[in-house]
Amino acid sequence: MSTTGANADPLAALGSLPGVADSVESVRKAVDRVYGHRIMRRRSTEITGEAALRGARGSAALSGADWALEEVRRRTDFSADDESRVMGAALRLSAEAGQLLSIWRQSPLRVLARLHLVAAADKTDEVGRPRQAGEPVDEPLIELPLPDAREVSGRLEGLADLIIAGTSAPALVTAAVVHGELLALRPFVSHNGLVARAAERIVLIGSGLDPKAICPAEVGHAELGRASYLAALDGYVSGTPEGMTAWIAHCARAIELGARESTAVCEALQRGAA
């Protein structure tokens, strides 16, 4: 997404695209429904924990580790193979995201570096910083053209400036742009998809749309499927109004499905308490 031009708040401009207001309103209603559930008054901490687990499972599925939820619960070792390591990274990011809210508005690049460090769980020179010229990227499920390191640096700085300056755009729009931009740039040598979805979660929590982190968009992205996810991402990368609207609508639907998932958890807890 271009962050230059006459418009001082390009995120707000995206919010005025045809159809985006409908997506914003639909998301707000879905989130309000789950927050209004009677179980949330007594057991919100359990709902938050379950949402974190399910969100991590969904994010890992989109990065190639599509495990059943009960398998995620059962496992204790997430280092045995590539899929296990992806799942472990997703779980670590899900736990970390809520700890970085106070830093995000002041230093989003620092938060992104921290997310990559947590995901990679490594201390090599490539971890926890944007990739440099000539460094390869391990992100096999996203086959878009890869921007060079100079473009990555400029666009990350532009994105960070927008976050720090603040915006009147709805949380959905900001979260979708952060998510899409990180997927398009793939600024790190690995784990970019996991980091992008964790950053989306941070925006949704920090904006106040989902302050208790009970509407895991990652669940919805996984449920909609990888093909739909990548097709919507193509729209984002195109930069056209239609493409951007389609990506925002896709993210909106993912949040709605995450809210539906947590509503189902509330219903199950209510039946158990009856």
Side-chain angles (χ1 to χ4, degrees), residues 9-274:
D9 191 351
L11 294 178
L14 291 176
S16 66
L17 289 173
V20 170
D22 291 340
S23 292
V24 170
E25 180 63 18
S26 182
V27 164
R28 168 54 66 189
K29 288 180 178 177
V31 173
D32 285 349
R33 278 194 296 272
V34 65
Y35 270 85
H37 198 286
R38 59 185 297 183
I39 284 290
M40 281 295 296
R41 292 195 294 270
R42 295 181 287 113
R43 304 177 72 174
S44 64
T45 301
E46 291 175 70
I47 308 301
T48 296
E50 190 65 20
L53 182 70
R54 293 175 185 231
R57 193 216 72 82
S59 190
L62 287 169
S63 287
D66 192 359
W67 290 11
L69 186 61
E70 291 311 312
E71 178 69 6
V72 182
R73 294 188 201 280
R74 185 186 67 82
R75 287 286 189 102
T76 56
D77 180 8
F78 294 98
S79 62
D81 51 41
D82 287 346
E83 284 197 9
S84 297
R85 286 187 284 274
V86 168
M87 185 60 69
L91 289 166
R92 290 191 299 274
L93 286 174
S94 190
E96 185 76 8
Q99 310 303 314
L100 299 171
L101 297 174
S102 63
I103 305 172
W104 174 254
R105 285 293 298 273
Q106 286 74 41
S107 185
L109 297 185
R110 181 180 163 195
V111 170
L112 293 175
R114 174 62 184 171
L115 291 174
H116 186 245
L117 187 67
V118 168
D122 199 346
K123 296 183 179 180
T124 61
D125 291 342
E126 297 85 4
V127 171
R129 60 156 175 80
R131 56 185 168 85
Q132 298 175 359
E135 290 182 335
V137 174
D138 181 15
E139 204 73 42
L141 301 178
I142 299 177
E143 298 178 351
L144 294 168
L146 192 67
D148 65 29
R150 179 176 296 181
E151 180 179 353
V152 167
S153 178
R155 285 173 63 175
L156 280 179
E157 290 288 347
L159 182 64
D161 288 346
L162 288 177
I163 299 299
I164 293 168
T167 176
S168 61
L172 165 65
V173 173
T174 304
V177 167
V178 167
H179 185 172
E181 192 72 353
L182 293 174
L183 287 178
L185 294 178
R186 281 145 293 161
F188 302 108
V189 296
S190 63
H191 299 91
N192 290 285
L194 295 175
V195 168
R197 292 183 287 276
E200 179 185 48
R201 171 183 281 262
I202 288 172
V203 173
L204 294 173
I205 300 170
S207 67
L209 177 63
D210 182 20
K212 294 183 182 294
I214 60 169
C215 301
E218 306 96 321
V219 168
H221 288 303
E223 185 172 337
L224 291 167
R226 191 178 300 150
S228 178
Y229 186 64
L230 296 178
L233 178 61
D234 284 342
Y236 177 86
V237 172
S238 76
T240 65
E242 297 80 9
M244 297 296 287
T245 298
W247 171 250
I248 293 168
H250 182 91
C251 291
R253 183 59 180 150
I255 298 168
E256 291 169 17
L257 290 171
R260 187 182 71 178
E261 183 89 353
S262 286
T263 299
V265 172
C266 288
E267 294 292 335
L269 288 175
Q270 183 169 280
R271 288 193 299 272

